[in-house]
Amino acid sequence: MRNWNCRLLSNRKIADGVWLAAFDAPKIAAAAKPGQFVHVRVPGGEHILRRPFSIHRVDGNTIKVLYRVVGAATFALSALKAGTMLDILGPLGHGFPAINSGRVILLAGGMGVAPLVFLAQKLGKKRGLTVILGAKSSSGVLCAAAFRETGARVIACTEDGSKGKQCLATVLLENELAQAGGKTTVCACGPNLMLKRAAAVCAQFKTPCYVSLEERMACGIGVCLCCPVPTVAGYKSACKDGPVFNALEVAWSNLK
Amino acid sequence: MVQLEISIGGLRLKNPVMTASGTFGHGTEFAELYDINRLGAVVTKTITPLPRAGNPPPRMAETPSGMLNAVGLQNGGLEEFLKNKAPFLRRLKTAVVVSISAGGPAEFADMALAVETSGCADALELNLSCPNVLHGAVKNMISQDCGAIEAVVSAVRKKCGLAAIAKLSPNVTDITKTALAAQNAGADAVCLINTLPAMSVDLKTRKPRLANITGGLSGPAIKPVALKLVWDAVRALDIPVIACGGITTAEDALEFILCGATAVEVGTANLTNPFAAPEILSGMERWLRENKIASLDELRGKLIA
Ligand SMILES: Cc1cc2nc3c(=O)[nH]c(=O)nc-3n(C[C@H](O)[C@H](O)[C@H](O)COP(=O)(O)OP(=O)(O)OC[C@H]3O[C@@H](n4cnc5c(N)ncnc54)[C@H](O)[C@@H]3O)c2cc1C
Ligand SMILES: Cc1cc2nc3c(=O)[nH]c(=O)nc-3n(C[C@H](O)[C@H](O)[C@H](O)COP(=O)(O)O)c2cc1C
């Protein structure tokens, strides 16, 4: 891990409020594992801290970041033009474990697709891969095509029924686990409520479940202790010990 | 070659660039990035006699040109420090300042002795000023109470031979009083400033942004406050003042030296740019060379005012 001066190759809107940025970052691309993140210094404005983003895709020397504009720094990022040089620290944190056997279900709520596309890319076509995409409404269902490209079966659902079944993503997860025989691993990213529910469902089916958690962070390298995640062994740092945790390890009742 | 050496009590530092407690861990993460032995001193995360879980999340909120933290002194306690952190620190080839905090004078002195005995420290920083941890019945920071400062510093002084730096809070009516209390009790230096007690509120959710409600403000936003307090303290004290607060660039560090600081501690800047401390050091050397100043002593306290 260290910081790199990376050229922004492209930066475009791909859905309502959601942008895709590509960086020329050979060192990060070579080292990155799915679930790891980059810590980006976004120039301009009154903010001083870096911003964490999951590594969304790796293509050769290029890394991609999929982000939603929610505040000052993501807004400033969306205004940057190709050619801008950015100070990026990474790859950081611990990602998803290597999954060597059995089938895999990826569960994404909204922007939770961000790290899971890279994971699907890495898992490749060999594996029976199912992707469950949940969102409030159809405009929040992202990256279905990107997942299909990796050979995955994609099923979507929305809270308002505007795309796919009208239900929570964890209901689809429960159906899948109830049907499937054999070894399955679940990897999930999305709102804490969804992850909490997913962890409970997986525990019920004795299915291993890995979740990517978000917490406000400063340093990104485990020194400032600003991003605690409550676990059964006390607080761990989202940035260094995570962001991916085994769902059994998380003290869900203490997670907001 | 520019002359950057300084001394604090009996301790010589090869240069005045130190790290601020809580923003550098115990140095291991930064040692993966650069040779931390280049720094004048490494100041470690405050340790307490017993482990502390720290505050629940969220612990951090960004504010204009700064940040609030309410970590709450999360640390593994003295025993864990001696077992897991001290061996790495003993191998460092630069000065190690171990930051300690405790409930009262006797506990502080016991901690000081244990750290001295372990042989991993060249000096102690007494954290009398964490805004996220209040001491006992008075519901105050130790450094808001001159009597408490004197009691802690003199208890440590009696039991332990290491140079002792008293780290003080900006949140007092008169910094010269608390700084003098530390000096009179035998501190070898004071470090100014710890974070400013502060809040951030989310109007939309009508909630505080920190679970602890209040936290400590740090970063560039507090530099002007720190400059003023360092300027005040330097003129009142005989012992060195170590400046801390928003130092992000070599120019920031030199401004504090100009106001009379003996050394500087780099804090939040480590979190935004992990190379901040060595960059500040080389920037200071470059600035001095370019301005044909052979020694920091030629600049120290030379504010034209
Ligand atoms: C490990 C990790 C990976 C992430 N990956 C992605 C991703 O791939 N795509 C994406 O769109 N977003 C991702 N996020 C969230 C993203 O970091 C925030 O949306 C972003 O920091 C917001 O910055 P802002 O200035 O625009 O918003 P503001 O709300 O103004 O930010 C204020 C402060 O809160 C922090 N913050 C705000 N929202 C979040 C959040 N959800 N999680 C953590 N900190 C937050 C900011 O970093 C900043 O310090 C990730 C967060 C983490 C911790
Ligand atoms: C995340 C964080 C944790 C901190 N932890 C400690 C600590 O354990 N002990 C201490 O004396 N100061 C602690 N501080 C205060 C800093 O050492 C420093 O005094 C303060 O942040 C002001 O300097 P800065 O603006 O350069 O950061 C902490 C600051 C931050 C931002």
Side-chain angles (χ1 to χ4, degrees):
Chain A
M1 172 272 296
R2 62 152 302 168
N3 71 328
W4 311 100
N5 218 1
C6 302
R7 182 182 304 278
L8 181 61
L9 298 172
S10 63
N11 192 19
R12 63 192 172 85
K13 194 169 176 174
I14 63 141
D16 199 22
V18 180
W19 294 65
L20 182 68
F23 299 94
D24 180 34
K27 294 285 178 13
I28 298 174
K33 296 198 177 72
Q36 288 189 303
F37 68 98
V38 288
H39 218 17
V40 182
R41 227 175 167 185
V42 182
E46 294 173 325
H47 61 272
I48 57 167
L49 297 173
R50 290 168 185 267
R51 293 296 189 266
F53 298 104
S54 302
I55 299 170
H56 175 60
R57 290 187 75 104
V58 173
D59 296 304
N61 287 337
T62 305
I63 60 162
K64 288 184 180 152
V65 161
L66 184 75
Y67 63 99
R68 181 176 289 283
V69 173
V70 297
T74 45
F75 180 75
L77 182 59
S78 72
L80 296 180
K81 295 279 175 289
T84 309
M85 300 301 288
L86 280 126
D87 172 356
I88 301 185
L89 194 61
L92 299 180
H94 282 90
F96 294 100
I99 304 166
N100 296 315
S101 63
R103 73 167 198 151
V104 180
I105 300 176
L106 306 185
L107 174 70
M111 283 306 294
V113 293
L116 297 180
V117 168
F118 184 20
L119 180 57
Q121 235 191 343
K122 270 276 151 97
L123 287 169
K125 293 206 160 76
K126 304 184 291 290
R127 191 65 51 77
L129 186 63
T130 299
V131 179
I132 302 171
L133 299 178
K136 285 211 165 62
S137 67
S138 63
S139 65
V141 178
L142 301 168
C143 301
F147 283 114
R148 277 196 200 96
E149 259 170 48
T150 71
R153 177 171 73 104
V154 178
I155 41 181
C157 62
T158 50
E159 286 174 34
D160 66 0
S162 56
K163 187 166 202 159
K165 220 172 151 187
Q166 180 168 13
C167 67
L168 293 176
T170 46
V171 172
L172 294 188
L173 176 68
E174 199 165 348
N175 292 346
E176 287 293 315
L177 290 177
Q179 285 166 22
K183 190 178 167 201
T184 304
T185 305
V186 173
C187 296
C189 183
N192 282 352
L193 262 175
M194 182 197 88
L195 298 177
K196 192 174 187 163
R197 184 78 198 112
V201 169
C202 288
Q204 190 191 322
F205 287 92
K206 299 200 166 30
T207 300
C209 175
Y210 297 91
V211 296
S212 179
L213 297 174
E214 289 184 355
E215 185 51 56
R216 283 187 222 148
M217 45 181 69
C219 70
I221 59 173
V223 304
C224 73
L225 307 177
C226 283
C227 61
V229 169
T231 74
V232 291
Y235 287 128
K236 292 196 172 180
S237 291
C239 69
K240 194 179 181 185
D241 305 313
V244 175
F245 291 88
N246 186 328
L248 295 175
E249 199 192 342
V250 178
W252 290 102
S253 54
N254 296 330
L255 197 78
K256 290 269 157 51
Chain B
M1 263 300 277
V2 286
Q3 210 316 93
L4 291 173
E5 246 183 54
I6 58 141
S7 50
I8 292 166
L11 179 67
R12 315 253 331 138
L13 303 189
K14 58 188 160 220
N15 66 64
V17 178
M18 308 167 67
T19 61
S21 178
T23 64
F24 206 72
H26 293 85
T28 47
E29 289 81 2
F30 290 87
E32 287 174 28
L33 296 174
Y34 63 88
D35 179 10
I36 61 175
N37 292 310
R38 286 174 55 201
L39 303 177
V42 166
V43 184
T44 58
K45 170 76 189 167
T46 301
I47 52 165
T48 50
L50 296 174
R52 285 179 59 96
N55 289 321
R59 285 183 182 175
M60 194 280 287
E62 198 175 18
T63 55
S65 300
M67 64 177 274
L68 303 184
N69 88 82
V71 172
L73 292 188
Q74 177 183 332
N75 79 100
L78 175 64
E79 207 172 303
E80 191 269 346
F81 169 85
L82 295 176
K83 183 161 167 269
N84 297 327
K85 310 293 182 357
F88 171 82
L89 297 171
R90 266 194 293 269
R91 287 195 298 274
L92 290 183
K93 292 183 176 63
T94 189
V96 172
V97 180
V98 173
S99 170
I100 62 172
S101 178
E107 249 183 35
F108 257 103
D110 290 344
M111 288 276 284
L113 184 60
V115 172
E116 180 178 32
T117 310
S118 78
C120 71
D122 299 287
L124 293 171
E125 189 171 87
L126 312 177
N127 180 359
L128 309 176
S129 46
C130 180
N132 301 316
V133 178
L134 300 179
H135 91 113
V138 264
K139 288 267 175 242
N140 253 332
M141 294 178 246
I142 293 174
S143 82
Q144 286 175 321
D145 175 339
C146 289
I149 294 172
E150 277 171 12
V152 169
V153 174
S154 55
V156 168
R157 191 66 312 151
K158 272 191 207 109
K159 262 209 176 162
C160 162
L162 293 174
I165 303 161
K167 182 155 178 191
L168 302 180
S169 170
N171 221 45
V172 292
T173 319
D174 183 351
I175 196 74
T176 63
K177 291 211 172 98
T178 52
L180 278 169
Q183 172 176 298
N184 294 341
D188 296 284
V190 294
C191 172
L192 305 176
I193 56 179
N194 209 317
T195 55
L196 289 121
M199 272 173 81
S200 174
V201 163
D202 185 342
L203 182 60
K204 218 162 74 189
T205 61
R206 302 197 185 183
K207 287 183 179 165
R209 285 208 170 82
L210 299 174
N212 193 52
I213 304 178
T214 66
L217 178 63
S218 66
I222 72 168
K223 194 188 92 174
V225 178
L227 272 172
K228 195 265 180 190
L229 293 170
V230 166
W231 166 249
D232 284 348
V234 159
R235 287 174 300 149
L237 297 188
D238 302 318
I239 56 175
V241 173
I242 300 167
C244 179
I247 297 171
T248 311
T249 64
E251 286 75 11
D252 292 338
L254 290 163
E255 288 172 21
F256 279 100
I257 305 276
L258 193 58
C259 287
T262 297
V264 295
E265 288 187 2
V266 179
T268 299
N270 290 311
L271 312 181
T272 59
N273 169 17
F275 295 88
E279 283 174 13
I280 287 170
L281 174 59
S282 33
M284 287 171 78
E285 285 168 341
R286 196 178 328 116
W287 191 93
L288 292 170
R289 257 197 324 272
E290 281 170 9
N291 288 278
K292 306 205 163 30
I293 296 175
S295 161
L296 269 185
D297 298 337
E298 292 173 37
L299 194 69
R300 185 172 294 109
K302 299 290 161 58
L303 186 74
I304 302 164

